[in-house]
Amino acid sequence: MNRSKRANHFGTICEKRMAAKRRFDLERSSWHDARFGNGTPVEIKSTMIEHADGQPGNFKVYHAYHRKLRRHDGWYCFVVYRPHGRSGCTILKDKMVKAANLPLLRWHGGGDHRDTKQAKIPIGDVF
């Protein structure tokens, strides 16, 4: 199976590991994945270090959700991983970034399934 089609599987693994490491409470919402104990929302974004075609990974951020996260003084947890085998992955690095402190984003189409524009953030822009 193509690893990029397993992104949701790996993303779920990363969410669970970051929740344990960073002490978030996972919470299913359209615009965030977790909350700190004080209620502050956190969106967890993960990407493979390198895709099967050799292209570096990037983080996809959605405009409407980003605006809401900023309004609620929220954070992003960025996670870079390397998949191994059919279902395992190794987390290579992770970083917390306040939503208001992201680099300037260039919004474009591509988030149609979420009815909003998206931006792609290269790994190097976060780490």
Side-chain angles (χ1 to χ4, degrees):
M1 177 178 269
N2 183 334
R3 281 191 174 141
S4 64
K5 292 185 176 154
R6 309 254 315 138
N8 189 52
H9 167 77
F10 294 120
T12 300
I13 291 171
C14 291
E15 287 175 7
K16 288 178 181 175
R17 290 187 187 165
M18 287 301 105
K21 176 181 179 178
R22 302 277 185 174
R23 297 189 174 118
F24 311 140
D25 294 316
L26 289 177
E27 181 177 288
R28 291 291 154 232
S29 169
S30 63
W31 59 279
H32 68 280
D33 297 312
R35 287 188 185 271
F36 284 114
N38 68 2
T40 301
V42 179
E43 175 69 353
I44 304 166
K45 292 293 180 183
S46 59
T47 188
M48 272 190 259
I49 187 78
E50 184 178 276
H51 296 290
D53 64 3
Q55 291 295 310
N58 57 62
F59 302 102
K60 291 180 181 74
V61 175
Y62 296 94
H63 191 236
Y65 304 156
H66 176 67
R67 281 195 339 257
K68 194 163 187 175
L69 199 61
R70 283 185 63 142
R71 277 197 313 269
H72 288 85
D73 214 20
W75 291 75
Y76 285 98
C77 177
F78 292 103
V79 183
V80 180
Y81 66 89
R82 174 175 286 119
H84 52 81
R86 284 189 46 81
S87 59
C89 74
T90 301
I91 293 179
L92 303 174
K93 47 188 157 185
D94 62 272
K95 183 177 182 181
M96 296 297 301
V97 179
K98 202 163 182 40
N101 294 343
L102 280 191
L104 184 63
L105 300 172
R106 291 184 29 228
W107 301 106
H108 58 82
D112 297 340
H113 66 291
R114 300 195 186 204
D115 296 322
T116 186
K117 292 183 177 185
Q118 72 174 5
K120 292 181 181 178
I121 305 172
I123 293 170
D125 285 4
V126 174
F127 294 93

